[in-house]
Structure formats: structure tokens, C-alpha cells
């Protein structure tokens, strides 16, 4: 019985890790980094322990990245700083899902910087 619990816990943990890593689909499809984690979170938040907290963090981060990117576009025309901002956003959006997937694999809660709180 104890073995089943640990196996289930490990499977849940792997799903949470995969949910963090699905954010990287944005670099392949252009939009999958928001849609796929949203679907996983919506379907698994009541079944998988800690999925709700991780899913909300992922959605808040992805929505924040989207807003920061939209704000950066006019800054390209006005100040030219939008290009630098978009590059920094792209780096942050690539690195933080990997960092938080590693944290999730260690049983830690995610931490996404500059994340606005849309879903609570």
C-alpha cells in the first residue's frame, strides 16, 4: 500500500513537471505555452495534489508575459526599448519554466518573477 502511494505521488509530481515544461510550446507553436498548461490545470486541479497552486502560477506567469509583450510592441516605435524588453521577456519565458520544473521535481512550489496575479 505504501508503495502505491509513492508511485501515485511520483506520477503526480511528473505531471506537474510536464505542466511547467509545456510552457515552452510557445517557442514551437506560438501559443501552446498558455493553452496546454491551462487544459492540464483545468482537468487535473481537483485530482492532483498541488496542481492547483502550480497551475495558477503558470497561468499568471503566461498571462503576465503576454501583457508585457503587448506593452513592449509600441515601445519599439516610440523609444526603441521594446526590442530589448522583448528579448528579456523571451529569455525569462524560456528560463523560468525550466527552473520551476526542477523545483517541482523536488517538491517545491513555483516562483515566477514579475508575475501579475490574474488567477487566484
Amino acid at each position: 500500500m505504501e508503495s502505491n502511494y509513492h508511485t501515485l505521488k511520483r506520477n503526480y509530481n511528473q505531471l506537474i513537471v510536464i505542466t511547467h515544461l509545456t510552457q515552452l510550446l510557445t517557442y514551437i507553436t506560438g501559443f501552446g505555452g498558455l493553452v496546454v498548461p491551462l487544459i492540464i490545470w483545468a482537468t487535473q486541479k481537483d485530482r492532483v495534489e498541488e496542481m492547483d497552486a502550480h497551475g495558477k502560477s503558470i497561468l499568471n506567469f503566461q498571462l503576465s508575459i503576454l501583457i508585457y509583450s503587448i506593452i513592449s510592441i509600441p515601445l519599439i516605435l516610440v523609444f526603441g526599448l521594446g526590442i530589448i524588453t522583448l528579448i528579456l521577456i523571451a529569455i525569462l519565458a524560456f528560463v523560468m519554466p525550466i527552473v520551476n520544473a526542477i523545483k517541482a521535481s523536488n517538491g517545491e512550489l513555483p516562483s515566477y518573477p514579475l508575475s501579475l496575479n490574474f488567477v487566484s
Side-chain angles (χ1 to χ4, degrees):
M1 187 100 157
E2 187 72 26
S3 175
N4 288 339
Y5 172 77
H6 290 298
T7 301
L8 190 60
K9 179 87 170 154
R10 185 173 53 248
N11 289 343
Y12 287 166
N13 201 25
Q14 289 173 350
L15 182 60
I16 291 171
V17 169
I18 289 168
T19 306
H20 282 284
L21 294 176
T22 58
Q23 295 175 82
L24 300 176
L25 286 172
T26 296
Y27 293 96
I28 298 168
T29 65
F31 63 90
L34 175 62
V35 175
V36 175
L38 173 63
I39 292 169
I40 295 171
W41 171 70
T43 59
Q44 300 298 316
K45 66 182 177 180
D46 295 326
R47 292 185 203 154
V48 178
E49 185 181 337
E50 297 182 9
M51 176 61 83
D52 195 41
H54 285 269
K56 287 176 182 177
S57 292
I58 291 167
L59 294 178
N60 286 329
F61 180 67
Q62 285 298 311
L63 292 171
S64 299
I65 291 295
L66 179 63
I67 288 175
Y68 295 143
S69 298
I70 291 170
I71 291 171
S72 297
I73 293 170
L75 292 177
I76 293 171
L77 303 173
V78 177
F79 302 113
L81 296 174
I83 294 172
I84 295 169
T85 307
L86 285 172
I87 291 169
L88 292 174
I89 290 169
I91 292 169
L92 189 67
F94 186 80
V95 170
M96 291 314 298
I98 296 169
V99 167
N100 282 300
I102 293 168
K103 282 184 170 184
S105 71
N106 293 327
E108 299 174 38
L109 289 175
S111 169
Y112 286 101
L114 306 174
S115 187
L116 304 171
N117 195 20
F118 296 102
V119 182
S120 56

